[in-house]
Amino acid sequence: MRGYLVAIFLSAVFLYYVLHCILWGTNVYWMPPVEMKRRNKIQLCSSKPAFASLLRFHQFHPFLCAADFKKLASLYGSDKFDLPYGIRTSAEYFRLALSKLQSCDLFDDFDNVPCKRCVVVGNGGVLKNKTLGERIDSYDVIIRMNNGPVLGHEEEVGRRTTFRLFYPESVFSDPKHNDPNTTAILTAFKPHDLKWLWELLTGGKINTNGFWKKPALNLIYKPYQIRILDPFIIRTAAYELLNFPKVFPKNQKPKHPTTGIIAITLAFHICHEHLAGFRYNFSDLQSPLHYYGNATMSLMNKNAYHNVTAEQLFLKDIIEKNFVINLTQD
């Protein structure tokens, strides 16, 4: 009788395991997917923004959610592209990283404000001595990128940060730069980026292979602060705004949008937008590259992964069409 009961118990355990796998999908990490759904939608203004002609989808949600990222990838065509512009061969990496995040919401405090005034703060040396900090802080949404510091540069670039785009090689490691009110947005360019985030959030050993420079080995942001940018935003920047070819010649490295242009594309999808700090001084290669540090324009001139000339022409065009206002205009 005892053996019979043991057999029934073991059969029940096995049946539970089979049903679990069927319902949740095969999961080598024994981790049911988090039902992370959007609680808010983008509020539309009563009047269209000046740059409305650049938008294909006016209510596109820019952050991926664990519950429906595959469905939306199919809807918006991201399942037809590999990273950095889609999820085709990296869906499992996306799923793992998203499963450890706590939210995919866009805004918390003022989501009911339909016409948000945004400023995209670049890291360009043109921001030096402009004392735009107070004006920048007056905007509803302040978007920054990479490791452009606020601390010590408040007079030039302001104190507040709503969104900060980053990738593993460009994210802050020093906790002094953390702002609990900042939403940090991973811009994934390769599967290693998503695996890096997964390893950091699960306390695993960080594999630093496959990065163009050593990635951060710790994360100053909490899971509730982190989002993953939908590749559709980067694809829009590359193919629709900068008109990059989908296939580059074999003797030429593919070009990708800078984080700055990606940030502007994000801003186009969530609010009315102004920009600052994107102009580069190519006439003087010894001029400051950033408003911080000692790097010079000579580094940008050597960059083989971005077409900065195309980006500057794009910025010039949208400024001349009054799609945006350049706060650093002399």
Side-chain angles (χ1 to χ4, degrees):
M1 181 68 179
R2 185 176 179 182
Y4 180 73
L5 291 175
V6 170
I8 292 176
F9 174 77
L10 292 176
S11 298
V13 170
F14 178 76
L15 179 61
Y16 172 80
Y17 173 77
V18 171
L19 290 174
H20 183 278
C21 290
I22 293 172
L23 290 173
W24 293 113
T26 302
N27 192 334
V28 296
Y29 294 93
W30 193 252
M31 175 194 65
V34 177
E35 284 298 307
M36 184 172 59
K37 297 182 179 179
R38 301 171 178 83
R39 293 199 302 267
N40 48 29
K41 293 183 179 180
I42 299 169
Q43 300 291 322
L44 292 180
C45 294
S46 57
S47 60
K48 290 184 179 180
F51 48 77
S53 61
L54 299 177
L55 301 178
R56 257 205 299 162
F57 304 103
H58 292 274
Q59 285 189 294
F60 179 80
H61 193 288
F63 305 145
L64 295 177
C65 292
D68 63 0
F69 80 96
K70 283 188 177 180
K71 176 182 177 182
L72 291 183
S74 177
L75 179 64
Y76 295 113
S78 294
D79 59 343
K80 297 178 177 62
F81 297 87
D82 295 335
L83 275 171
Y85 305 148
I87 73 158
R88 181 166 55 187
T89 57
S90 304
E92 182 65 9
Y93 289 105
F94 276 103
R95 186 186 70 82
L96 288 173
L98 286 167
S99 73
K100 302 307 295 182
L101 304 185
Q102 296 176 1
S103 175
C104 57
D105 289 347
L106 186 59
F107 298 111
D108 293 325
D109 298 334
F110 50 88
D111 188 57
N112 58 346
V113 178
C115 300
K116 298 177 178 66
R117 298 173 62 248
C118 297
V119 57
V120 178
V121 184
N123 295 334
V126 70
L127 280 167
K128 274 180 174 281
N129 304 318
K130 287 291 195 299
T131 61
L132 288 170
E134 188 174 342
R135 186 174 178 185
I136 288 171
D137 280 339
S138 71
Y139 284 85
D140 298 319
V141 177
I142 302 171
I143 304 176
R144 305 183 192 273
M145 58 224 60
N146 302 326
N147 53 359
V150 167
L151 194 65
H153 301 273
E154 294 85 350
E155 187 175 353
E156 294 172 325
V157 298
R159 300 173 181 274
R160 295 175 43 239
T161 303
T162 312
F163 298 120
R164 183 179 288 275
L165 279 69
F166 73 92
Y167 48 90
E169 297 94 334
S170 74
V171 67
F172 286 124
S173 293
D174 192 334
K176 72 180 181 182
H177 292 292
N178 185 26
D179 174 2
N181 296 314
T182 293
T183 297
I185 306 168
L186 174 64
T187 307
F189 284 90
K190 51 190 179 298
H192 288 84
D193 297 347
L194 297 162
K195 188 170 184 290
W196 165 88
L197 180 61
W198 158 260
E199 289 169 346
L200 281 175
L201 292 175
T202 56
K205 183 180 179 181
I206 308 301
N207 185 348
T208 59
N209 295 324
F211 296 92
W212 63 271
K213 74 173 186 177
K214 188 176 181 180
L217 299 181
N218 63 289
L219 201 58
I220 67 172
Y221 302 108
K222 304 297 183 183
Y224 77 87
Q225 294 178 267
I226 302 172
R227 308 287 189 271
I228 297 178
L229 189 69
D230 194 312
F232 173 81
I233 293 288
I234 315 175
R235 193 165 73 251
T236 298
Y239 296 151
E240 298 185 26
L241 302 186
L242 298 177
N243 296 310
F244 286 173
K246 290 186 172 65
V247 178
F248 283 83
K250 291 183 178 180
N251 61 346
Q252 185 180 349
K253 290 183 178 180
K255 306 292 184 184
H256 300 299
T258 61
T259 316
I261 294 296
I262 295 169
I264 290 176
T265 309
L266 168 65
F268 282 157
H269 285 82
I270 60 178
C271 47
H272 288 61
E273 185 259 345
H274 298 244
L275 66 105
F278 283 94
R279 194 170 75 249
Y280 293 109
N281 182 9
F282 286 101
S283 62
D284 182 4
L285 295 183
Q286 297 308 309
S287 62
L289 176 60
H290 300 136
Y291 65 82
Y292 58 92
N294 300 315
T296 65
M297 278 302 306
S298 58
L299 288 178
M300 181 61 78
N301 202 43
K302 298 175 182 177
N303 196 308
Y305 295 98
H306 304 304
N307 188 335
V308 181
T309 301
E311 296 198 1
Q312 294 293 293
L313 289 173
F314 167 70
L315 290 172
K316 182 174 182 290
D317 181 58
I318 61 175
I319 290 169
E320 289 178 348
K321 290 178 178 176
N322 294 318
F323 287 175
V324 299
I325 298 172
N326 184 4
L327 298 184
T328 61
Q329 190 70 43
D330 292 330

